[in-house]
Amino acid sequence: MTGSSLPSIVILGGGSAGWMVAAALSRFLPAQRRITLIESDEIGAVGVGEATIPQIRLFNQHLGIDENAFLKATAGTFKLGIEFVGWGAPHDRYIHAFGQIGRSLGLLPFHHYWLRARARGVADDLWDHSASAVAARSGRFAPDPGRPGLPSGLAWAYQFDASLYARLLRQHAEANGVTRIEGRMTHATRDPDSGDIQSLALDGGRSVAGDLFIDCTGFRALLIGDTLAAPFDDWSRHLPCDRALAVPTASVGAPDPFTRATARAAGWQWRIPLQHRTGNGLVYSSAFMDDDEAASTLLANVEGRPLADPRPIRFTTGKRRAQWTRNCVAIGLSAGFLEPLESTSIHLIQSAISRLLALMPAGRAQDDEAAEFNRQADAEWQSVRDFLILHYHLNGRDEPFWRDRRAAAIPDSLSRRIALFRSSGRLFREGDELFTEVGWLQVMLGQGVVPQGFNPLAGEPSDQALSEFLKLTRHHAGAVARAMPTHADYLHRHCATDQRKAS
Ligand SMILES: Cc1cc2nc3c(=O)[nH]c(=O)nc-3n(C[C@H](O)[C@H](O)[C@H](O)COP(=O)(O)OP(=O)(O)OC[C@H]3O[C@@H](n4cnc5c(N)ncnc54)[C@H](O)[C@@H]3O)c2cc1C
């Protein structure tokens, strides 16, 4: 141990993960701790990662980052959900909207009432009952649409330039006392007895010692992988996409307040509108599509002028079996990777930080703390993985890649969930899992699972009371959305970025 009873912490890597860790630890650990971040400008960060889920709002709030100032600094936009195009069948579309759909009555979730109306042939579009979905469809946004009385049911996240976010977090971290060292790590020295990491050697002959090391070196995984050889669980049999091409394009029209994920012949394409440009990319399986075809597919399907050549990224889906190994905790891409279909990577960084804070060792890292961290991480990653598999499994497309995905075996937990929903419309959120019942509901219905029943408790209101209730929730969602300005107006008035500073 160096100094106080708190470990001195060395963060290796200054991408989004490294600076999120540095900003959060420097904000929440007592002042006597020592936090150092080492990053190499020469190596740089992965440079993708623009869409998020609503939990990021909490992270920023805890750091004291004002929403409008954040969007201004990161050229960001608001995000009310993800629109999925062509997943059920080539021209189908549905949105996984954030927030509530309708309103539960007593113990029973709203969708059972909607399913009852559907069984009678009188249900309208489920998403008409979601303020987020209606606002997304009509290009509107405001955090507080001013409808006192009833909760709006809205929830939102952001789309932003991740490198500008890292820059903003760096300012916070350095203001809170984090020491930044510019340099390239050449090797790590380990204690010959315990096997723990003792220090990191940098180019130029420098060395940085510490008690707890956070590996934020991205796909390189220099500490958890190269140094400690922690095993990697490969999940590509479930999620076989292994490559991505990313290309920014000039904006065309006002930015939509949602991310779009469009299925393509052997993968899917993202579209993420920012204030100053649009992020695009194709995630694909190299077993079903070669790189040239991927590049032409991507470029044929972007809306604006490409601002750079498409950038290739290779990955293996999966995670480190023990993300906390010895005195090293892997956070970010070094911990593992799940494709960005539901924009979960930055969230997984955020939740790893919360776990680390909850399990911060008093001195030398203990096995019990590491074991609990790893148990919680496993459960979280597996449930996100299952949610992603769901999209592929329920596809209604006809290309070889998609036929292969439909036929592939899925985890038992996922089969059980789909079967229960199909037979009775019932959905349950397990433990602390990330996605809510409303999230599972939208993907299942959106991709064609038609429940054969609903909870019999929804049979109680009379037909007339049921239709009045549905009318009310639909009216409310529409009224919330109509009370908003357009998304572009809201951004312009409250969060307009300085285009010269944005990349
Ligand atoms: C194709 C793709 C699309 C994605 N889209 C999304 C998305 O929409 N939403 C989302 O939430 N996430 C997304 N992600 C994930 C997101 O990009 C990452 O989770 C996030 O950026 C964190 O990356 P990182 O900091 O772990 O790694 P990196 O950004 O790669 O940072 C690694 C850091 O380590 C440093 N480093 C490496 N080697 C050394 C060395 N020897 N010495 C010193 N420093 C070193 C580098 O300089 C850099 O600072 C996407 C990822 C990919 C691949």
Side-chain angles (χ1 to χ4, degrees), residues 56-81:
I56 191 172
R57 296 183 52 224
L58 272 181
F59 186 77
N60 283 350
Q61 280 161 15
H62 285 145
L63 293 182
I65 297 176
D66 170 75
E67 177 164 85
N68 291 342
F70 158 75
L71 288 170
K72 200 170 173 174
T74 60
T77 56
F78 291 92
K79 172 177 171 185
L80 291 164

PDB file of all heavy atoms in Angstrom, residues 56-81:
ATOM      1  N   ILE A  56     -27.489   7.023 -18.479  1.00  0.00           N
ATOM      2  CA  ILE A  56     -26.353   7.963 -18.526  1.00  0.00           C
ATOM      3  C   ILE A  56     -26.714   9.309 -17.886  1.00  0.00           C
ATOM      4  O   ILE A  56     -25.860  10.041 -17.403  1.00  0.00           O
ATOM      5  CB  ILE A  56     -25.841   8.179 -19.970  1.00  0.00           C
ATOM      6  CG1 ILE A  56     -24.510   8.929 -19.894  1.00  0.00           C
ATOM      7  CG2 ILE A  56     -26.879   8.872 -20.848  1.00  0.00           C
ATOM      8  CD1 ILE A  56     -23.762   9.072 -21.157  1.00  0.00           C
ATOM      9  N   ARG A  57     -27.992   9.632 -17.855  1.00  0.00           N
ATOM     10  CA  ARG A  57     -28.403  10.897 -17.246  1.00  0.00           C
ATOM     11  C   ARG A  57     -28.020  10.920 -15.771  1.00  0.00           C
ATOM     12  O   ARG A  57     -27.589  11.939 -15.237  1.00  0.00           O
ATOM     13  CB  ARG A  57     -29.903  11.107 -17.416  1.00  0.00           C
ATOM     14  CG  ARG A  57     -30.295  11.250 -18.890  1.00  0.00           C
ATOM     15  CD  ARG A  57     -31.770  11.540 -19.049  1.00  0.00           C
ATOM     16  NE  ARG A  57     -32.166  12.662 -18.234  1.00  0.00           N
ATOM     17  CZ  ARG A  57     -33.270  12.699 -17.503  1.00  0.00           C
ATOM     18  NH1 ARG A  57     -34.104  11.671 -17.497  1.00  0.00           N
ATOM     19  NH2 ARG A  57     -33.557  13.755 -16.785  1.00  0.00           N
ATOM     20  N   LEU A  58     -28.191   9.761 -15.122  1.00  0.00           N
ATOM     21  CA  LEU A  58     -27.843   9.668 -13.700  1.00  0.00           C
ATOM     22  C   LEU A  58     -26.346   9.868 -13.498  1.00  0.00           C
ATOM     23  O   LEU A  58     -25.911  10.530 -12.556  1.00  0.00           O
ATOM     24  CB  LEU A  58     -28.197   8.275 -13.175  1.00  0.00           C
ATOM     25  CG  LEU A  58     -29.583   8.062 -12.644  1.00  0.00           C
ATOM     26  CD1 LEU A  58     -29.721   6.629 -12.149  1.00  0.00           C
ATOM     27  CD2 LEU A  58     -29.829   9.040 -11.477  1.00  0.00           C
ATOM     28  N   PHE A  59     -25.577   9.251 -14.377  1.00  0.00           N
ATOM     29  CA  PHE A  59     -24.117   9.366 -14.268  1.00  0.00           C
ATOM     30  C   PHE A  59     -23.711  10.835 -14.341  1.00  0.00           C
ATOM     31  O   PHE A  59     -22.968  11.339 -13.499  1.00  0.00           O
ATOM     32  CB  PHE A  59     -23.462   8.554 -15.398  1.00  0.00           C
ATOM     33  CG  PHE A  59     -21.965   8.480 -15.312  1.00  0.00           C
ATOM     34  CD1 PHE A  59     -21.349   7.625 -14.407  1.00  0.00           C
ATOM     35  CD2 PHE A  59     -21.155   9.265 -16.128  1.00  0.00           C
ATOM     36  CE1 PHE A  59     -19.968   7.556 -14.322  1.00  0.00           C
ATOM     37  CE2 PHE A  59     -19.767   9.201 -16.050  1.00  0.00           C
ATOM     38  CZ  PHE A  59     -19.171   8.342 -15.147  1.00  0.00           C
ATOM     39  N   ASN A  60     -24.241  11.531 -15.347  1.00  0.00           N
ATOM     40  CA  ASN A  60     -23.897  12.953 -15.487  1.00  0.00           C
ATOM     41  C   ASN A  60     -24.395  13.763 -14.291  1.00  0.00           C
ATOM     42  O   ASN A  60     -23.695  14.648 -13.786  1.00  0.00           O
ATOM     43  CB  ASN A  60     -24.491  13.513 -16.781  1.00  0.00           C
ATOM     44  CG  ASN A  60     -23.692  13.085 -18.006  1.00  0.00           C
ATOM     45  OD1 ASN A  60     -22.604  12.531 -17.878  1.00  0.00           O
ATOM     46  ND2 ASN A  60     -24.229  13.346 -19.186  1.00  0.00           N
ATOM     47  N   GLN A  61     -25.620  13.442 -13.839  1.00  0.00           N
ATOM     48  CA  GLN A  61     -26.156  14.200 -12.684  1.00  0.00           C
ATOM     49  C   GLN A  61     -25.267  14.014 -11.458  1.00  0.00           C
ATOM     50  O   GLN A  61     -24.971  14.967 -10.743  1.00  0.00           O
ATOM     51  CB  GLN A  61     -27.577  13.731 -12.357  1.00  0.00           C
ATOM     52  CG  GLN A  61     -28.635  14.331 -13.275  1.00  0.00           C
ATOM     53  CD  GLN A  61     -29.940  13.536 -13.246  1.00  0.00           C
ATOM     54  OE1 GLN A  61     -30.168  12.710 -12.360  1.00  0.00           O
ATOM     55  NE2 GLN A  61     -30.796  13.773 -14.228  1.00  0.00           N
ATOM     56  N   HIS A  62     -24.823  12.773 -11.228  1.00  0.00           N
ATOM     57  CA  HIS A  62     -23.968  12.523 -10.064  1.00  0.00           C
ATOM     58  C   HIS A  62     -22.648  13.277 -10.157  1.00  0.00           C
ATOM     59  O   HIS A  62     -22.048  13.641  -9.156  1.00  0.00           O
ATOM     60  CB  HIS A  62     -23.702  11.027  -9.904  1.00  0.00           C
ATOM     61  CG  HIS A  62     -24.889  10.288  -9.349  1.00  0.00           C
ATOM     62  ND1 HIS A  62     -25.228   9.015  -9.714  1.00  0.00           N
ATOM     63  CD2 HIS A  62     -25.837  10.674  -8.475  1.00  0.00           C
ATOM     64  CE1 HIS A  62     -26.328   8.643  -9.082  1.00  0.00           C
ATOM     65  NE2 HIS A  62     -26.717   9.640  -8.319  1.00  0.00           N
ATOM     66  N   LEU A  63     -22.197  13.498 -11.385  1.00  0.00           N
ATOM     67  CA  LEU A  63     -20.946  14.259 -11.545  1.00  0.00           C
ATOM     68  C   LEU A  63     -21.196  15.761 -11.539  1.00  0.00           C
ATOM     69  O   LEU A  63     -20.259  16.552 -11.645  1.00  0.00           O
ATOM     70  CB  LEU A  63     -20.255  13.879 -12.857  1.00  0.00           C
ATOM     71  CG  LEU A  63     -19.711  12.449 -12.958  1.00  0.00           C
ATOM     72  CD1 LEU A  63     -19.013  12.254 -14.290  1.00  0.00           C
ATOM     73  CD2 LEU A  63     -18.744  12.137 -11.827  1.00  0.00           C
ATOM     74  N   GLY A  64     -22.465  16.156 -11.476  1.00  0.00           N
ATOM     75  CA  GLY A  64     -22.784  17.591 -11.473  1.00  0.00           C
ATOM     76  C   GLY A  64     -22.691  18.219 -12.858  1.00  0.00           C
ATOM     77  O   GLY A  64     -22.434  19.420 -12.990  1.00  0.00           O
ATOM     78  N   ILE A  65     -22.885  17.406 -13.900  1.00  0.00           N
ATOM     79  CA  ILE A  65     -22.800  17.944 -15.266  1.00  0.00           C
ATOM     80  C   ILE A  65     -24.197  18.353 -15.726  1.00  0.00           C
ATOM     81  O   ILE A  65     -25.111  17.526 -15.772  1.00  0.00           O
ATOM     82  CB  ILE A  65     -22.202  16.887 -16.229  1.00  0.00           C
ATOM     83  CG1 ILE A  65     -20.768  16.550 -15.806  1.00  0.00           C
ATOM     84  CG2 ILE A  65     -22.246  17.369 -17.673  1.00  0.00           C
ATOM     85  CD1 ILE A  65     -20.109  15.443 -16.615  1.00  0.00           C
ATOM     86  N   ASP A  66     -24.352  19.597 -16.060  1.00  0.00           N
ATOM     87  CA  ASP A  66     -25.635  20.132 -16.507  1.00  0.00           C
ATOM     88  C   ASP A  66     -25.960  19.570 -17.896  1.00  0.00           C
ATOM     89  O   ASP A  66     -25.095  19.490 -18.767  1.00  0.00           O
ATOM     90  CB  ASP A  66     -25.507  21.668 -16.555  1.00  0.00           C
ATOM     91  CG  ASP A  66     -26.693  22.304 -17.236  1.00  0.00           C
ATOM     92  OD1 ASP A  66     -27.753  22.361 -16.599  1.00  0.00           O
ATOM     93  OD2 ASP A  66     -26.567  22.707 -18.418  1.00  0.00           O
ATOM     94  N   GLU A  67     -27.230  19.196 -18.076  1.00  0.00           N
ATOM     95  CA  GLU A  67     -27.633  18.522 -19.321  1.00  0.00           C
ATOM     96  C   GLU A  67     -27.357  19.374 -20.567  1.00  0.00           C
ATOM     97  O   GLU A  67     -26.766  18.907 -21.549  1.00  0.00           O
ATOM     98  CB  GLU A  67     -29.118  18.180 -19.240  1.00  0.00           C
ATOM     99  CG  GLU A  67     -29.657  17.536 -20.494  1.00  0.00           C
ATOM    100  CD  GLU A  67     -31.003  16.871 -20.260  1.00  0.00           C
ATOM    101  OE1 GLU A  67     -32.022  17.573 -20.331  1.00  0.00           O
ATOM    102  OE2 GLU A  67     -31.036  15.647 -19.989  1.00  0.00           O
ATOM    103  N   ASN A  68     -27.793  20.627 -20.529  1.00  0.00           N
ATOM    104  CA  ASN A  68     -27.630  21.450 -21.720  1.00  0.00           C
ATOM    105  C   ASN A  68     -26.150  21.732 -22.005  1.00  0.00           C
ATOM    106  O   ASN A  68     -25.711  21.704 -23.167  1.00  0.00           O
ATOM    107  CB  ASN A  68     -28.409  22.763 -21.584  1.00  0.00           C
ATOM    108  CG  ASN A  68     -29.908  22.511 -21.616  1.00  0.00           C
ATOM    109  OD1 ASN A  68     -30.360  21.457 -22.052  1.00  0.00           O
ATOM    110  ND2 ASN A  68     -30.686  23.472 -21.139  1.00  0.00           N
ATOM    111  N   ALA A  69     -25.387  21.954 -20.930  1.00  0.00           N
ATOM    112  CA  ALA A  69     -23.952  22.213 -21.117  1.00  0.00           C
ATOM    113  C   ALA A  69     -23.273  20.967 -21.690  1.00  0.00           C
ATOM    114  O   ALA A  69     -22.376  21.060 -22.545  1.00  0.00           O
ATOM    115  CB  ALA A  69     -23.320  22.593 -19.786  1.00  0.00           C
ATOM    116  N   PHE A  70     -23.712  19.802 -21.240  1.00  0.00           N
ATOM    117  CA  PHE A  70     -23.151  18.541 -21.739  1.00  0.00           C
ATOM    118  C   PHE A  70     -23.405  18.396 -23.240  1.00  0.00           C
ATOM    119  O   PHE A  70     -22.498  18.075 -24.025  1.00  0.00           O
ATOM    120  CB  PHE A  70     -23.781  17.378 -20.950  1.00  0.00           C
ATOM    121  CG  PHE A  70     -23.738  16.051 -21.640  1.00  0.00           C
ATOM    122  CD1 PHE A  70     -22.562  15.327 -21.719  1.00  0.00           C
ATOM    123  CD2 PHE A  70     -24.886  15.510 -22.213  1.00  0.00           C
ATOM    124  CE1 PHE A  70     -22.519  14.096 -22.370  1.00  0.00           C
ATOM    125  CE2 PHE A  70     -24.860  14.291 -22.853  1.00  0.00           C
ATOM    126  CZ  PHE A  70     -23.675  13.580 -22.932  1.00  0.00           C
ATOM    127  N   LEU A  71     -24.663  18.650 -23.664  1.00  0.00           N
ATOM    128  CA  LEU A  71     -24.992  18.472 -25.083  1.00  0.00           C
ATOM    129  C   LEU A  71     -24.262  19.496 -25.950  1.00  0.00           C
ATOM    130  O   LEU A  71     -23.827  19.196 -27.059  1.00  0.00           O
ATOM    131  CB  LEU A  71     -26.508  18.547 -25.285  1.00  0.00           C
ATOM    132  CG  LEU A  71     -27.219  17.303 -24.736  1.00  0.00           C
ATOM    133  CD1 LEU A  71     -28.713  17.502 -24.720  1.00  0.00           C
ATOM    134  CD2 LEU A  71     -26.871  16.060 -25.531  1.00  0.00           C
ATOM    135  N   LYS A  72     -24.107  20.677 -25.403  1.00  0.00           N
ATOM    136  CA  LYS A  72     -23.374  21.718 -26.118  1.00  0.00           C
ATOM    137  C   LYS A  72     -21.910  21.290 -26.308  1.00  0.00           C
ATOM    138  O   LYS A  72     -21.338  21.423 -27.387  1.00  0.00           O
ATOM    139  CB  LYS A  72     -23.445  22.987 -25.256  1.00  0.00           C
ATOM    140  CG  LYS A  72     -23.176  24.231 -25.974  1.00  0.00           C
ATOM    141  CD  LYS A  72     -23.526  25.395 -25.063  1.00  0.00           C
ATOM    142  CE  LYS A  72     -23.062  26.644 -25.764  1.00  0.00           C
ATOM    143  NZ  LYS A  72     -23.439  27.839 -25.086  1.00  0.00           N
ATOM    144  N   ALA A  73     -21.332  20.747 -25.233  1.00  0.00           N
ATOM    145  CA  ALA A  73     -19.906  20.377 -25.287  1.00  0.00           C
ATOM    146  C   ALA A  73     -19.657  19.158 -26.158  1.00  0.00           C
ATOM    147  O   ALA A  73     -18.536  18.967 -26.647  1.00  0.00           O
ATOM    148  CB  ALA A  73     -19.395  20.110 -23.868  1.00  0.00           C
ATOM    149  N   THR A  74     -20.652  18.301 -26.335  1.00  0.00           N
ATOM    150  CA  THR A  74     -20.421  17.034 -27.048  1.00  0.00           C
ATOM    151  C   THR A  74     -21.155  16.989 -28.392  1.00  0.00           C
ATOM    152  O   THR A  74     -21.243  15.926 -29.005  1.00  0.00           O
ATOM    153  CB  THR A  74     -20.897  15.829 -26.206  1.00  0.00           C
ATOM    154  OG1 THR A  74     -22.311  15.988 -25.959  1.00  0.00           O
ATOM    155  CG2 THR A  74     -20.165  15.729 -24.886  1.00  0.00           C
ATOM    156  N   ALA A  75     -21.679  18.133 -28.846  1.00  0.00           N
ATOM    157  CA  ALA A  75     -22.436  18.199 -30.105  1.00  0.00           C
ATOM    158  C   ALA A  75     -23.594  17.200 -30.075  1.00  0.00           C
ATOM    159  O   ALA A  75     -23.962  16.617 -31.093  1.00  0.00           O
ATOM    160  CB  ALA A  75     -21.528  17.950 -31.306  1.00  0.00           C
ATOM    161  N   GLY A  76     -24.145  17.008 -28.885  1.00  0.00           N
ATOM    162  CA  GLY A  76     -25.100  15.930 -28.682  1.00  0.00           C
ATOM    163  C   GLY A  76     -26.541  16.275 -29.044  1.00  0.00           C
ATOM    164  O   GLY A  76     -26.917  17.435 -29.235  1.00  0.00           O
ATOM    165  N   THR A  77     -27.333  15.212 -29.148  1.00  0.00           N
ATOM    166  CA  THR A  77     -28.768  15.328 -29.410  1.00  0.00           C
ATOM    167  C   THR A  77     -29.495  14.451 -28.390  1.00  0.00           C
ATOM    168  O   THR A  77     -28.866  13.660 -27.690  1.00  0.00           O
ATOM    169  CB  THR A  77     -29.104  14.834 -30.835  1.00  0.00           C
ATOM    170  OG1 THR A  77     -28.624  13.490 -30.964  1.00  0.00           O
ATOM    171  CG2 THR A  77     -28.445  15.699 -31.904  1.00  0.00           C
ATOM    172  N   PHE A  78     -30.812  14.598 -28.343  1.00  0.00           N
ATOM    173  CA  PHE A  78     -31.599  13.759 -27.435  1.00  0.00           C
ATOM    174  C   PHE A  78     -32.001  12.471 -28.154  1.00  0.00           C
ATOM    175  O   PHE A  78     -32.136  12.456 -29.387  1.00  0.00           O
ATOM    176  CB  PHE A  78     -32.847  14.507 -26.971  1.00  0.00           C
ATOM    177  CG  PHE A  78     -32.513  15.654 -26.048  1.00  0.00           C
ATOM    178  CD1 PHE A  78     -32.302  16.932 -26.551  1.00  0.00           C
ATOM    179  CD2 PHE A  78     -32.376  15.441 -24.688  1.00  0.00           C
ATOM    180  CE1 PHE A  78     -31.977  17.985 -25.707  1.00  0.00           C
ATOM    181  CE2 PHE A  78     -32.058  16.485 -23.827  1.00  0.00           C
ATOM    182  CZ  PHE A  78     -31.852  17.765 -24.343  1.00  0.00           C
ATOM    183  N   LYS A  79     -32.205  11.441 -27.368  1.00  0.00           N
ATOM    184  CA  LYS A  79     -32.569  10.137 -27.940  1.00  0.00           C
ATOM    185  C   LYS A  79     -33.739   9.567 -27.155  1.00  0.00           C
ATOM    186  O   LYS A  79     -33.642   9.362 -25.953  1.00  0.00           O
ATOM    187  CB  LYS A  79     -31.352   9.205 -27.849  1.00  0.00           C
ATOM    188  CG  LYS A  79     -31.671   7.773 -28.237  1.00  0.00           C
ATOM    189  CD  LYS A  79     -30.438   6.885 -28.210  1.00  0.00           C
ATOM    190  CE  LYS A  79     -30.828   5.440 -28.378  1.00  0.00           C
ATOM    191  NZ  LYS A  79     -29.693   4.513 -28.246  1.00  0.00           N
ATOM    192  N   LEU A  80     -34.843   9.313 -27.865  1.00  0.00           N
ATOM    193  CA  LEU A  80     -36.052   8.781 -27.214  1.00  0.00           C
ATOM    194  C   LEU A  80     -36.220   7.287 -27.437  1.00  0.00           C
ATOM    195  O   LEU A  80     -37.169   6.689 -26.926  1.00  0.00           O
ATOM    196  CB  LEU A  80     -37.282   9.526 -27.755  1.00  0.00           C
ATOM    197  CG  LEU A  80     -37.376  10.992 -27.332  1.00  0.00           C
ATOM    198  CD1 LEU A  80     -38.368  11.760 -28.205  1.00  0.00           C
ATOM    199  CD2 LEU A  80     -37.773  11.088 -25.866  1.00  0.00           C
ATOM    200  N   GLY A  81     -35.320   6.685 -28.197  1.00  0.00           N
ATOM    201  CA  GLY A  81     -35.419   5.248 -28.416  1.00  0.00           C
ATOM    202  C   GLY A  81     -34.608   4.846 -29.631  1.00  0.00           C
ATOM    203  O   GLY A  81     -33.839   5.639 -30.178  1.00  0.00           O
TER     204      GLY A  81
END
